[in-house]
Amino acid sequence: MRCILVILVSISAVWSLSLKREKLSSVSPPDGNWTTQWYEQQLDHFSYGVQQLTFMQKYLVNIDHWNRTGGPIFFYAGNEGSIELFALNTGFMFEIAPEFGAMVLFAEHRYYGSSIPFGKNGYVHKQYYQYQSSMQALADYVELLAHVRQTYEGAEKSPVIVFGGSYGGMLAAWMRIKYPHVVQGAIAASAPVAQFTGLTPCEKFGQVVTHTFALQGQECVQTIRKSWDAINKMAATAEGRAWLSDAWRLCKPLNSTDDAKNLKSYLSDVWTNLAMADYPYMANFLAPLPAYPVMAVCQPMKFLKDEPKEILLEIFEGLSVYFNYSTTATCLSYESSMPSSLDDNGWFLQSCTEMVMPMCYDGKNDFFEPQAWNLTEFSETCVKKWDVRPEPYKMEQMYGGRNLKYASNIVFSNGLLDPWSSGGVLEDVNESVVSVIIPEGAHHLDLRSSERADPKSVIQARDVHKANILKWISEYSNSV
Amino acid sequence: MRCILVILVSISAVWSLSLKREKLSSVSPPDGNWTTQWYEQQLDHFSYGVQQLTFMQKYLVNIDHWNRTGGPIFFYAGNEGSIELFALNTGFMFEIAPEFGAMVLFAEHRYYGSSIPFGKNGYVHKQYYQYQSSMQALADYVELLAHVRQTYEGAEKSPVIVFGGSYGGMLAAWMRIKYPHVVQGAIAASAPVAQFTGLTPCEKFGQVVTHTFALQGQECVQTIRKSWDAINKMAATAEGRAWLSDAWRLCKPLNSTDDAKNLKSYLSDVWTNLAMADYPYMANFLAPLPAYPVMAVCQPMKFLKDEPKEILLEIFEGLSVYFNYSTTATCLSYESSMPSSLDDNGWFLQSCTEMVMPMCYDGKNDFFEPQAWNLTEFSETCVKKWDVRPEPYKMEQMYGGRNLKYASNIVFSNGLLDPWSSGGVLEDVNESVVSVIIPEGAHHLDLRSSERADPKSVIQARDVHKANILKWISEYSNSV
């Protein structure tokens, strides 16, 4: 079912994106500049029967610049992957640590990376994975912070600022919302807190992807929009499939319409990932990408054609920028968009319980092949795979969606190239829950290390972050 | 172990107190003026493995005065007992419903009254009772409110005001703190949100009890303070025990020093309960009581004596007001302070997990027999009985204790006669989290029906409640 693939890969893209980029910048991001620690974490924070059960949660600490007499703790609320990946790719926190005299602390999210309860069995049976939820993860962070405060002399009364990008950004915002007595403020970057049923129309996400491509010209959009039919036509005959397999240098030739379905699914993911990864400098995402990759991809896809083969040859040229920018690929592997690592398992599970983010496409206001959002079908897939049923209204009920008027001390930042901005907070909510828009920004560009090619808007966004952090810290200092 | 008894009985007194009073007032409280409903509630809101498991939660609804076009929902966050008891004794909500055009809704707390998951097995094994926690209960209320909004036409956009007294008051405040997008404001009466380790000195509670008695003269306080030694002296010999058993008309004669221990424990509970129940009108608590029962009890206990027997005869006269005001008791049953109903089981369990409220006495600043707070000993009792260990810092970590500067729209009311005011919020926190003090008030007097004998301070407190509710509702109406 395509929707699942799109959702999963898009979200997993979140970190892959941030994390696999080569170091090309003048300011190098920190590289393992921390100590790795473990905390014996309670498995269930809300019920008391299993309180004795624990798991080892990984966290990373850097105290190089920490001012032990009142310096703040910069805390990263880990999301769906190994915590090192986030630490390596949230350079902003390390960059500003010296001027704030901050301890830098990254906590791994339960059931990801190395913090998997029940080890290998973690995803085997519901009995083991039932404790995977955002609420439990937030409670982990609260508990871990209490531990760190006790462990590091001088940290007991340090103010805590929580950071996060994407799902981590949602967690950062929710942590401030639910535990304002624990964290003094939150930088929530590209956090789609409203990407849920009833809060954001399901077609919005695909429209933003399309919009990002449209900035490179309607011809590029038109070409992609026409490509689905072209693929369908080719895939309908053995001869057509053979031609496409050959023309696109597919690693696995198309043998059926199911194969064609997978190919289209892969393509949808690619366009989505490109919009998310549309950074102003060379980066390494699912594949290495040039600066402004959407521009590069659209370059050869601007010639409006009607003939299916011609359209598909154009598409392949653009696609090559994505799958073969390094020019070392021998063939195009369209089945690899969803690797089956534990991390993907984790997000698949979460999207089958609480992180239900409806996506749909109409092919008119977006360039995707039309597809409705089908909760029933999705639900059946979840029951089959995980023996759980999605709860589409759960996150709104728990955290309030965009209804945050009583929250405080949160900066929501969103890049307008980033499809996830569709579910983000794009307007100030009140005087201390504010929105920062980065028109030229892709997915949480502001959390990355400074780069020469950074647009002015992301530099300004980082200044807004710093000003708010300063305000929150002084507010806190005046109150203790 | 005495501490457990004191804590439990004192807390269970909370509702017994409110609930068993005879109707003597001009304004009768409502009597079964509601429909009883059931909602199939999720057992675990924070983990997803057991989401299919549910239990039937009882709730009571009165829509006699409800304005279906925008009228508010007055929601009572049920505490540790049958929900009918609270509905029968929170007359204030019913009294003001007509002027607000409000729906009145009372929800039973899981594992109390008739809302016991796993039925008879509810308290048999940890596997069944692990889901008993304040966090789960709050999530029940959020879920139930969503259900009611969908079920009652016109309720979808109604503002919700949450009420509660004692533990229910804690839940009301915490509900607003954790789910401000669900409830627009909270009336938290006699809510000891800070009666936890490190937030309130353990001796404070007993000092307030003593203070309430001291208002009737230091002689009364002195007499009680001297009584412990007097009992110890009598209990040391068979002859003394026989004398005391006879003089106090004990149902079960004192046969050992253990019996004497139980008798002292009972006495401690009685003095505590009297302070909590020190209402300005006749009421029926563990026993029927006259108006201003502490005054009545102290009346015969004002003659300073030195001789043990004389002291104890005085005490017995005062005690008679408590155990035999109805003059129908044939003997004094000192073993009955802790009935073993399910409700008490529930609170015992909760105090062994999250509701760990340290109490201690020094006999100098209070009139109790000196006793330290011994967490280790308490903990062992909990492991033995429930196979769980207390988490003394849990509630502060979850809800913030008195550190509520970022909360909004809560009125904390406290009567100064009420020992639980020791753990209450007694000062304004910010402009919308305010404190109302009722100097002449006992335990959540303000939530009870109006009575002729009500002191001016409680009438004023109710006016503060109404003004705030009005403000919260209009604030909400302006925002939707």
PDB file of all heavy atoms in Angstrom, chain B residues 133-150:
ATOM      1  N   SER B 133      -3.545   4.617  38.112  1.00  0.00           N
ATOM      2  CA  SER B 133      -2.639   5.755  38.300  1.00  0.00           C
ATOM      3  C   SER B 133      -3.377   7.042  37.958  1.00  0.00           C
ATOM      4  O   SER B 133      -4.364   7.037  37.222  1.00  0.00           O
ATOM      5  CB  SER B 133      -1.391   5.615  37.408  1.00  0.00           C
ATOM      6  OG  SER B 133      -1.661   6.048  36.089  1.00  0.00           O
ATOM      7  N   SER B 134      -2.894   8.134  38.501  1.00  0.00           N
ATOM      8  CA  SER B 134      -3.546   9.427  38.246  1.00  0.00           C
ATOM      9  C   SER B 134      -3.439   9.809  36.771  1.00  0.00           C
ATOM     10  O   SER B 134      -4.346  10.414  36.203  1.00  0.00           O
ATOM     11  CB  SER B 134      -2.914  10.517  39.117  1.00  0.00           C
ATOM     12  OG  SER B 134      -1.536  10.673  38.816  1.00  0.00           O
ATOM     13  N   MET B 135      -2.331   9.443  36.138  1.00  0.00           N
ATOM     14  CA  MET B 135      -2.143   9.807  34.727  1.00  0.00           C
ATOM     15  C   MET B 135      -3.156   9.074  33.847  1.00  0.00           C
ATOM     16  O   MET B 135      -3.717   9.664  32.917  1.00  0.00           O
ATOM     17  CB  MET B 135      -0.726   9.446  34.277  1.00  0.00           C
ATOM     18  CG  MET B 135       0.389  10.195  34.976  1.00  0.00           C
ATOM     19  SD  MET B 135       0.888   9.436  36.570  1.00  0.00           S
ATOM     20  CE  MET B 135       1.910   8.061  36.056  1.00  0.00           C
ATOM     21  N   GLN B 136      -3.379   7.797  34.156  1.00  0.00           N
ATOM     22  CA  GLN B 136      -4.378   7.044  33.407  1.00  0.00           C
ATOM     23  C   GLN B 136      -5.768   7.619  33.670  1.00  0.00           C
ATOM     24  O   GLN B 136      -6.595   7.735  32.750  1.00  0.00           O
ATOM     25  CB  GLN B 136      -4.360   5.558  33.819  1.00  0.00           C
ATOM     26  CG  GLN B 136      -3.057   4.820  33.559  1.00  0.00           C
ATOM     27  CD  GLN B 136      -2.885   4.352  32.111  1.00  0.00           C
ATOM     28  OE1 GLN B 136      -3.638   4.746  31.228  1.00  0.00           O
ATOM     29  NE2 GLN B 136      -1.859   3.548  31.874  1.00  0.00           N
ATOM     30  N   ALA B 137      -6.023   7.993  34.907  1.00  0.00           N
ATOM     31  CA  ALA B 137      -7.347   8.527  35.253  1.00  0.00           C
ATOM     32  C   ALA B 137      -7.618   9.829  34.490  1.00  0.00           C
ATOM     33  O   ALA B 137      -8.707  10.039  33.960  1.00  0.00           O
ATOM     34  CB  ALA B 137      -7.446   8.758  36.759  1.00  0.00           C
ATOM     35  N   LEU B 138      -6.616  10.692  34.420  1.00  0.00           N
ATOM     36  CA  LEU B 138      -6.789  11.948  33.672  1.00  0.00           C
ATOM     37  C   LEU B 138      -7.060  11.664  32.202  1.00  0.00           C
ATOM     38  O   LEU B 138      -7.917  12.307  31.579  1.00  0.00           O
ATOM     39  CB  LEU B 138      -5.539  12.828  33.809  1.00  0.00           C
ATOM     40  CG  LEU B 138      -5.278  13.432  35.186  1.00  0.00           C
ATOM     41  CD1 LEU B 138      -3.970  14.210  35.174  1.00  0.00           C
ATOM     42  CD2 LEU B 138      -6.426  14.334  35.610  1.00  0.00           C
ATOM     43  N   ALA B 139      -6.340  10.700  31.647  1.00  0.00           N
ATOM     44  CA  ALA B 139      -6.558  10.358  30.235  1.00  0.00           C
ATOM     45  C   ALA B 139      -7.960   9.774  30.046  1.00  0.00           C
ATOM     46  O   ALA B 139      -8.609  10.019  29.022  1.00  0.00           O
ATOM     47  CB  ALA B 139      -5.482   9.388  29.751  1.00  0.00           C
ATOM     48  N   ASP B 140      -8.454   9.030  31.043  1.00  0.00           N
ATOM     49  CA  ASP B 140      -9.849   8.566  30.995  1.00  0.00           C
ATOM     50  C   ASP B 140     -10.789   9.760  30.843  1.00  0.00           C
ATOM     51  O   ASP B 140     -11.717   9.743  30.028  1.00  0.00           O
ATOM     52  CB  ASP B 140     -10.240   7.860  32.313  1.00  0.00           C
ATOM     53  CG  ASP B 140      -9.631   6.479  32.483  1.00  0.00           C
ATOM     54  OD1 ASP B 140      -9.172   5.902  31.483  1.00  0.00           O
ATOM     55  OD2 ASP B 140      -9.629   5.985  33.631  1.00  0.00           O
ATOM     56  N   TYR B 141     -10.553  10.772  31.652  1.00  0.00           N
ATOM     57  CA  TYR B 141     -11.463  11.923  31.657  1.00  0.00           C
ATOM     58  C   TYR B 141     -11.438  12.643  30.306  1.00  0.00           C
ATOM     59  O   TYR B 141     -12.470  13.083  29.800  1.00  0.00           O
ATOM     60  CB  TYR B 141     -11.094  12.884  32.803  1.00  0.00           C
ATOM     61  CG  TYR B 141     -11.250  12.267  34.184  1.00  0.00           C
ATOM     62  CD1 TYR B 141     -10.526  12.736  35.276  1.00  0.00           C
ATOM     63  CD2 TYR B 141     -12.111  11.192  34.393  1.00  0.00           C
ATOM     64  CE1 TYR B 141     -10.672  12.162  36.535  1.00  0.00           C
ATOM     65  CE2 TYR B 141     -12.256  10.601  35.638  1.00  0.00           C
ATOM     66  CZ  TYR B 141     -11.522  11.093  36.713  1.00  0.00           C
ATOM     67  OH  TYR B 141     -11.660  10.517  37.956  1.00  0.00           O
ATOM     68  N   VAL B 142     -10.254  12.765  29.741  1.00  0.00           N
ATOM     69  CA  VAL B 142     -10.122  13.418  28.434  1.00  0.00           C
ATOM     70  C   VAL B 142     -10.908  12.636  27.376  1.00  0.00           C
ATOM     71  O   VAL B 142     -11.667  13.200  26.585  1.00  0.00           O
ATOM     72  CB  VAL B 142      -8.629  13.511  28.041  1.00  0.00           C
ATOM     73  CG1 VAL B 142      -8.469  13.895  26.579  1.00  0.00           C
ATOM     74  CG2 VAL B 142      -7.909  14.513  28.949  1.00  0.00           C
ATOM     75  N   GLU B 143     -10.739  11.336  27.423  1.00  0.00           N
ATOM     76  CA  GLU B 143     -11.413  10.449  26.472  1.00  0.00           C
ATOM     77  C   GLU B 143     -12.938  10.508  26.680  1.00  0.00           C
ATOM     78  O   GLU B 143     -13.703  10.602  25.723  1.00  0.00           O
ATOM     79  CB  GLU B 143     -10.909   9.019  26.719  1.00  0.00           C
ATOM     80  CG  GLU B 143     -11.374   8.000  25.740  1.00  0.00           C
ATOM     81  CD  GLU B 143     -10.280   7.690  24.708  1.00  0.00           C
ATOM     82  OE1 GLU B 143      -9.200   8.317  24.768  1.00  0.00           O
ATOM     83  OE2 GLU B 143     -10.530   6.837  23.881  1.00  0.00           O
ATOM     84  N   LEU B 144     -13.345  10.467  27.928  1.00  0.00           N
ATOM     85  CA  LEU B 144     -14.780  10.504  28.227  1.00  0.00           C
ATOM     86  C   LEU B 144     -15.390  11.814  27.737  1.00  0.00           C
ATOM     87  O   LEU B 144     -16.488  11.828  27.162  1.00  0.00           O
ATOM     88  CB  LEU B 144     -15.002  10.338  29.738  1.00  0.00           C
ATOM     89  CG  LEU B 144     -16.462  10.459  30.197  1.00  0.00           C
ATOM     90  CD1 LEU B 144     -17.314   9.340  29.602  1.00  0.00           C
ATOM     91  CD2 LEU B 144     -16.553  10.437  31.726  1.00  0.00           C
ATOM     92  N   LEU B 145     -14.687  12.907  27.946  1.00  0.00           N
ATOM     93  CA  LEU B 145     -15.195  14.203  27.483  1.00  0.00           C
ATOM     94  C   LEU B 145     -15.351  14.225  25.965  1.00  0.00           C
ATOM     95  O   LEU B 145     -16.331  14.758  25.438  1.00  0.00           O
ATOM     96  CB  LEU B 145     -14.276  15.334  27.951  1.00  0.00           C
ATOM     97  CG  LEU B 145     -14.568  15.828  29.374  1.00  0.00           C
ATOM     98  CD1 LEU B 145     -13.442  16.709  29.890  1.00  0.00           C
ATOM     99  CD2 LEU B 145     -15.901  16.584  29.429  1.00  0.00           C
ATOM    100  N   ALA B 146     -14.389  13.646  25.258  1.00  0.00           N
ATOM    101  CA  ALA B 146     -14.506  13.571  23.801  1.00  0.00           C
ATOM    102  C   ALA B 146     -15.765  12.792  23.429  1.00  0.00           C
ATOM    103  O   ALA B 146     -16.511  13.178  22.517  1.00  0.00           O
ATOM    104  CB  ALA B 146     -13.260  12.915  23.208  1.00  0.00           C
ATOM    105  N   HIS B 147     -16.015  11.724  24.159  1.00  0.00           N
ATOM    106  CA  HIS B 147     -17.202  10.903  23.901  1.00  0.00           C
ATOM    107  C   HIS B 147     -18.488  11.701  24.164  1.00  0.00           C
ATOM    108  O   HIS B 147     -19.415  11.694  23.358  1.00  0.00           O
ATOM    109  CB  HIS B 147     -17.155   9.654  24.780  1.00  0.00           C
ATOM    110  CG  HIS B 147     -18.428   8.883  24.801  1.00  0.00           C
ATOM    111  ND1 HIS B 147     -18.857   8.132  23.730  1.00  0.00           N
ATOM    112  CD2 HIS B 147     -19.394   8.761  25.771  1.00  0.00           C
ATOM    113  CE1 HIS B 147     -20.020   7.570  24.027  1.00  0.00           C
ATOM    114  NE2 HIS B 147     -20.371   7.943  25.258  1.00  0.00           N
ATOM    115  N   VAL B 148     -18.517  12.399  25.279  1.00  0.00           N
ATOM    116  CA  VAL B 148     -19.720  13.173  25.622  1.00  0.00           C
ATOM    117  C   VAL B 148     -19.961  14.275  24.596  1.00  0.00           C
ATOM    118  O   VAL B 148     -21.089  14.530  24.172  1.00  0.00           O
ATOM    119  CB  VAL B 148     -19.586  13.770  27.049  1.00  0.00           C
ATOM    120  CG1 VAL B 148     -20.639  14.839  27.306  1.00  0.00           C
ATOM    121  CG2 VAL B 148     -19.684  12.661  28.084  1.00  0.00           C
ATOM    122  N   ARG B 149     -18.907  14.911  24.161  1.00  0.00           N
ATOM    123  CA  ARG B 149     -19.040  15.952  23.140  1.00  0.00           C
ATOM    124  C   ARG B 149     -19.663  15.404  21.856  1.00  0.00           C
ATOM    125  O   ARG B 149     -20.423  16.082  21.181  1.00  0.00           O
ATOM    126  CB  ARG B 149     -17.664  16.518  22.787  1.00  0.00           C
ATOM    127  CG  ARG B 149     -17.109  17.505  23.791  1.00  0.00           C
ATOM    128  CD  ARG B 149     -15.740  17.975  23.313  1.00  0.00           C
ATOM    129  NE  ARG B 149     -15.114  18.910  24.221  1.00  0.00           N
ATOM    130  CZ  ARG B 149     -15.512  20.156  24.404  1.00  0.00           C
ATOM    131  NH1 ARG B 149     -16.543  20.628  23.733  1.00  0.00           N
ATOM    132  NH2 ARG B 149     -14.882  20.947  25.255  1.00  0.00           N
ATOM    133  N   GLN B 150     -19.285  14.165  21.533  1.00  0.00           N
ATOM    134  CA  GLN B 150     -19.838  13.563  20.319  1.00  0.00           C
ATOM    135  C   GLN B 150     -21.264  13.080  20.517  1.00  0.00           C
ATOM    136  O   GLN B 150     -22.064  13.057  19.589  1.00  0.00           O
ATOM    137  CB  GLN B 150     -18.986  12.356  19.894  1.00  0.00           C
ATOM    138  CG  GLN B 150     -17.732  12.735  19.129  1.00  0.00           C
ATOM    139  CD  GLN B 150     -16.709  11.609  19.134  1.00  0.00           C
ATOM    140  OE1 GLN B 150     -17.047  10.460  19.338  1.00  0.00           O
ATOM    141  NE2 GLN B 150     -15.454  11.958  18.913  1.00  0.00           N
TER     142      GLN B 150
END
